[in-house]
Amino acid sequence: MASDSSNTQNEKTSGINSGAARMAERIARWTEGKNSLDTPIRGLSLHRWDAPTEPTSYMLAPSICLIGQGRKRLFLGEDVYIYDAHRFLITSVDLPVVAQILEASGEKPYLGLTMELDLRMIGQLMLDNDMSSQAPTKDRLGIAISEVSVPLIDAFNRLLDLIEQPDDIPALAPLIQQEIFYRLLTGEQGPRLRQISTIGNHGYQIARVIDWLKDNFSKPVKVEELAGKAGLSVSAFHKHFRSMTAMSPLQFQKRMRLNEARRLMLTSHLEASQAAFEVGYESPSQFSREYNRLFGAPPIRDIKTLIQDSTK
């Protein structure tokens, strides 16, 4: 009996290694000479890094992240998540994260992909397969690490194959994505996805508030107002928001503001004071302090370093 179990595990590991190698080969082919590629398949992007990176802060949409080769670390608040070719990362709500490539080289670059979750498709799958009444998860955090399965990585490889068959993408990509979401719903992370797709669930209510914050993060906001939008008391809202995002609502808003200010300075060439005003800060000195605390350098020096790094 023990031998049978060992053989099954070995076959699974071999299948995952083989699938990851195929995925890495496909990603390497399409990302030659670039760090990222938005594919013709909706929501699917590919990533390549030839060396480890410094920690980078950004907003991560609800998505699943797989690695064909290399290793990555992600921070959410005080929590740390590390994943590789045998473990994938999934986020069920938009989250302000800090990410860092840990393993990459010219000979063996980091090769990974990100696919955004289609919450409407997930909701329809739940209805079609009578999943909405299944037991919820006690872990309400909107991010997790899970083991990769052979069927999951095989589905992603079939999705990547479509990049070379663009005429087939409109008809076949949604079917393969539906299969991927079905496997997520019926796997370890199914309860996490169901909690943000079921109306009336606390996870769903918090997810809707996060959507509102994304569109209104530059506006002054009170926790009482956000709690009202969720239909919860202030104490209950604060509790459920922190359990899903690992931070308070105001900390969450601050992270979004600083991430957007950094983007504006880097891509729209705004001065620090202009960017601070655009994202809702009234005090440039407060903006500079909080920016320095999050990114490890004052705005001007940080942006200068980012520009220099991008031209290397």
Side-chain angles (χ1 to χ4, degrees):
M1 186 70 68
S3 178
D4 290 344
S5 176
S6 177
N7 289 337
T8 300
Q9 183 59 42
N10 289 340
E11 289 177 3
K12 176 183 176 182
T13 300
S14 177
I16 292 172
N17 288 339
S18 176
R22 292 198 304 273
M23 176 181 292
E25 185 274 330
R26 286 159 171 78
I27 296 173
R29 187 190 320 158
W30 287 101
T31 57
E32 186 70 38
K34 53 177 73 77
N35 290 136
S36 63
L37 172 71
D38 290 328
T39 74
I41 298 170
R42 182 179 177 184
L44 180 67
S45 58
L46 312 181
H47 313 283
R48 177 192 188 121
W49 293 94
D50 294 332
T53 65
E54 294 297 319
T56 302
S57 179
Y58 58 91
M59 288 296 297
L60 181 60
S63 54
I64 176 172
C65 307
L66 266 69
I67 295 175
Q69 182 171 275
R71 194 159 63 106
K72 188 172 183 178
R73 177 167 58 196
L74 186 141
F75 302 87
L76 177 66
E78 301 300 319
D79 298 330
V80 181
Y81 302 86
I82 296 177
Y83 57 111
D84 52 25
H86 286 258
R87 294 170 291 181
F88 69 86
L89 180 134
I90 186 169
T91 55
S92 56
V93 291
D94 291 88
L95 294 170
V97 301
V98 176
Q100 181 181 21
I101 305 299
L102 296 177
E103 290 182 6
S105 67
E107 295 74 26
K108 295 188 68 174
Y110 169 89
L111 300 165
L113 64 79
T114 300
M115 189 177 78
E116 293 187 10
L117 302 183
D118 186 330
L119 298 181
R120 288 187 178 182
M121 184 181 289
I122 289 172
Q124 190 61 50
L125 278 169
M126 288 171 54
L127 289 174
D128 293 344
N129 294 277
D130 193 26
M131 296 179 180
S132 59
S133 60
Q134 296 179 12
T137 179
K138 294 182 180 179
D139 176 10
R140 300 185 181 278
L141 194 61
I143 187 170
I145 297 284
S146 274
E147 288 190 10
V148 173
S149 69
V150 173
L152 183 67
I153 202 167
D154 284 349
F156 269 104
N157 275 321
R158 283 185 275 114
L159 192 64
L160 289 172
D161 285 341
L162 290 180
I163 298 176
E164 295 182 345
Q165 304 160 16
D167 291 344
D168 295 337
I169 288 175
L172 297 183
L175 297 178
I176 299 175
Q177 289 175 315
Q178 187 177 60
E179 177 189 346
I180 290 169
F181 297 143
Y182 176 81
R183 296 197 180 282
L184 292 175
L185 281 167
T186 55
E188 181 184 15
Q189 298 307 321
R192 194 177 309 276
L193 295 181
R194 290 195 292 272
Q195 77 172 353
I196 54 94
S197 300
T198 304
I199 296 175
N201 188 293
H202 289 148
Y204 178 91
Q205 294 165 316
I206 300 301
R208 301 290 74 78
V209 171
I210 289 174
D211 282 342
W212 185 88
L213 276 172
K214 283 168 54 184
D215 297 329
N216 299 275
F217 64 84
S218 63
K219 299 178 180 178
V221 66
K222 295 182 178 180
V223 176
E224 292 83 358
E225 179 185 358
L226 298 178
K229 292 181 181 297
L232 297 168
S233 68
V234 171
S235 59
F237 172 73
H238 198 279
K239 173 186 174 183
H240 290 298
F241 192 98
R242 182 177 284 277
S243 70
M244 180 169 282
T245 67
M247 60 191 75
S248 73
L250 296 183
Q251 287 173 324
F252 190 96
Q253 182 194 42
K254 183 191 298 183
R255 288 284 184 94
M256 285 196 295
R257 285 181 169 183
L258 293 172
N259 280 330
E260 176 63 8
R262 195 187 206 194
R263 187 192 70 80
L264 289 172
M265 288 186 288
L266 190 60
T267 63
S268 300
H269 310 294
L270 294 189
E271 294 184 359
S273 58
Q274 292 176 291
F277 177 77
E278 287 289 331
V279 301
Y281 278 89
E282 296 180 358
S283 167
S285 60
Q286 181 188 4
F287 168 73
S288 184
R289 284 196 306 273
E290 294 183 353
Y291 189 102
N292 190 9
R293 193 175 300 125
L294 179 60
F295 297 116
I300 295 176
R301 192 200 311 165
D302 177 59
I303 297 302
K304 183 178 180 180
T305 300
L306 289 173
I307 293 173
Q308 289 174 342
D309 289 345
S310 68
T311 59
K312 290 181 180 178

